[in-house]
Amino acid sequence: MAFYIKEAAEKVNLPTHTLRYYEQEGLLPFIKRDENGNRIFDENDLLWLELIVCLRKTDIPLAELRAIVELTKEGDSTAAKRKQILEKHKEKMMEKQRDLDNAFIKIKEKIGFYDEIEKKYHKENLSF
Amino acid sequence: MAFYIKEAAEKVNLPTHTLRYYEQEGLLPFIKRDENGNRIFDENDLLWLELIVCLRKTDIPLAELRAIVELTKEGDSTAAKRKQILEKHKEKMMEKQRDLDNAFIKIKEKIGFYDEIEKKYHKENLSF
DNA sequence: TTAATCCTTAAAGTCGACTTTAAGGCAAGG
DNA sequence: CCTTGCCTTAAAGTCGACTTTAAGGATTAA
């Protein structure tokens, strides 16, 4: 189970350019090449890439993903540090959740307000 | 109840620069000035600003807020359009919520994984 | 009177995360 | 043989949302 960049990109629903950019930024450190220098993504690479995509949707900075990669290279002794990075991001995610909850209340209010204006406006403009 | 920019900025927890920038970008169209040309934020301005801040935390684009302002200037007949903009953003918010829910699952898994490595690592390094 | 602290405007700079452009290599199909 | 479509690299450009810098005006406190 190994894939060229186009297949990998399709699997994670990103442009190939972005995958190359991620590799360049140190997020994909173990990507092998075929005899022509083309990238080959194996199952492991894809799993990591999927986690990247999933966490990027919650706006984890590339720098934090890169930091995890660097720590991974240093071996098992860095597991606690890697965990810490993720815990910190999880806190941010929880804050976002709260921000969303607050915004839902406010946006519903405002939508209701616009509804009222709309109703009034139509009532006032009835011809008979 | 009216405030100069510094007080207003403190109330919504933004730098004064950002409030000026927002006005310049057409997000705060009704801000009055005192005899020296200083901005005066009234209760209404603050309420709108608070909504801006609340929705910005969910990444509503400035362009959408500006669009609402422009429609508001055109009067009550545009209430439906303004509502539509907010409904559309509410959809995005719901998608973010789903993204967060998915990411929570994955990040907990990964944290658990790092926990395992950590435990193993400490076990292997016991001297006796 | 001078320093501090507010305010003003306009313009330039920054940042993260891509995205686009340019120039070119390799392999298969017609 | 040539086009098509994949791949490569390096570098430049874009985008949104600020943020910083520069230059200066008005009010207050020492």
Side-chain angles (χ1 to χ4, degrees):
Chain A
M1 283 298 156
F3 312 91
Y4 286 111
I5 196 167
K6 203 193 178 193
E7 301 162 290
E10 275 162 15
K11 276 186 191 286
V12 296
N13 207 27
L14 285 181
T16 56
H17 274 105
T18 304
L19 298 193
R20 290 191 199 98
Y21 168 70
Y22 282 175
E23 195 197 25
Q24 189 177 309
E25 291 299 302
L27 268 56
L28 304 171
F30 304 125
I31 307 294
K32 286 142 218 82
R33 302 295 182 112
D34 74 4
E35 66 282 3
N36 294 315
N38 296 335
R39 290 169 185 80
I40 293 174
F41 291 74
D42 67 23
E43 204 58 43
N44 241 331
D45 298 326
L46 280 188
L47 283 173
W48 172 233
L49 189 51
E50 275 160 18
L51 183 59
I52 289 176
V53 170
C54 177
L55 294 184
R56 280 294 302 133
K57 285 184 185 165
T58 69
D59 300 310
I60 197 171
L62 299 194
E64 285 174 27
L65 295 168
R66 179 170 38 240
I68 291 174
V69 167
E70 292 309 311
L71 287 169
T72 305
K73 284 180 182 169
E74 290 173 35
D76 285 356
S77 68
T78 66
K81 283 187 192 172
R82 288 181 253 162
K83 192 179 115 180
Q84 211 180 322
I85 292 171
L86 292 190
E87 295 278 18
K88 200 191 106 213
H89 181 65
K90 200 173 130 221
E91 290 298 321
K92 292 230 175 118
M93 286 167 61
M94 284 159 64
E95 198 184 328
K96 284 220 173 200
Q97 220 171 32
R98 287 191 297 274
D99 289 340
L100 278 168
D101 289 344
N102 291 335
F104 270 117
I105 294 169
K106 295 274 189 187
I107 204 170
K108 280 174 193 165
E109 268 175 34
K110 197 74 180 179
I111 286 171
F113 174 68
Y114 287 150
D115 259 338
E116 287 308 308
I117 296 183
E118 213 186 329
K119 270 187 225 165
K120 258 190 225 165
Y121 179 75
H122 286 308
K123 208 175 285 179
E124 280 165 11
N125 288 278
L126 286 180
S127 304
F128 47 88
Chain B
M1 282 297 157
F3 311 92
Y4 285 112
I5 197 166
K6 205 194 179 193
E7 302 163 289
E10 274 162 16
K11 277 188 189 284
V12 296
N13 207 26
L14 285 180
T16 55
H17 273 105
T18 303
L19 298 194
R20 290 191 198 98
Y21 168 70
Y22 281 176
E23 194 198 25
Q24 188 177 309
E25 291 298 302
L27 268 56
L28 304 170
F30 304 125
I31 306 295
K32 287 141 217 81
R33 301 298 180 111
D34 74 3
E35 66 282 2
N36 293 316
N38 296 337
R39 291 172 186 80
I40 294 175
F41 293 74
D42 67 22
E43 204 58 44
N44 240 331
D45 298 327
L46 280 188
L47 283 173
W48 173 234
L49 189 51
E50 275 161 19
L51 183 59
I52 290 176
V53 170
C54 177
L55 294 184
R56 280 293 304 134
K57 285 185 186 165
T58 69
D59 300 311
I60 197 171
L62 299 195
E64 284 174 27
L65 295 169
R66 179 168 39 239
I68 291 173
V69 167
E70 292 308 312
L71 288 168
T72 305
K73 285 181 184 170
E74 291 174 33
D76 286 356
S77 68
T78 65
K81 282 186 193 172
R82 288 179 254 161
K83 192 179 116 180
Q84 212 180 321
I85 291 170
L86 292 190
E87 295 278 17
K88 200 192 107 213
H89 180 65
K90 200 172 130 221
E91 290 297 320
K92 293 232 174 112
M93 286 167 61
M94 285 160 63
E95 198 184 327
K96 284 223 173 194
Q97 219 172 32
R98 286 192 296 275
D99 288 341
L100 278 168
D101 290 343
N102 291 335
F104 271 116
I105 294 170
K106 294 274 189 187
I107 204 171
K108 281 175 193 164
E109 268 176 35
K110 198 74 180 181
I111 287 171
F113 174 67
Y114 287 150
D115 259 338
E116 287 309 307
I117 296 182
E118 211 187 332
K119 270 188 224 164
K120 257 190 226 165
Y121 179 75
H122 287 307
K123 207 175 286 179
E124 280 164 12
N125 288 282
L126 288 179
S127 302
F128 50 86

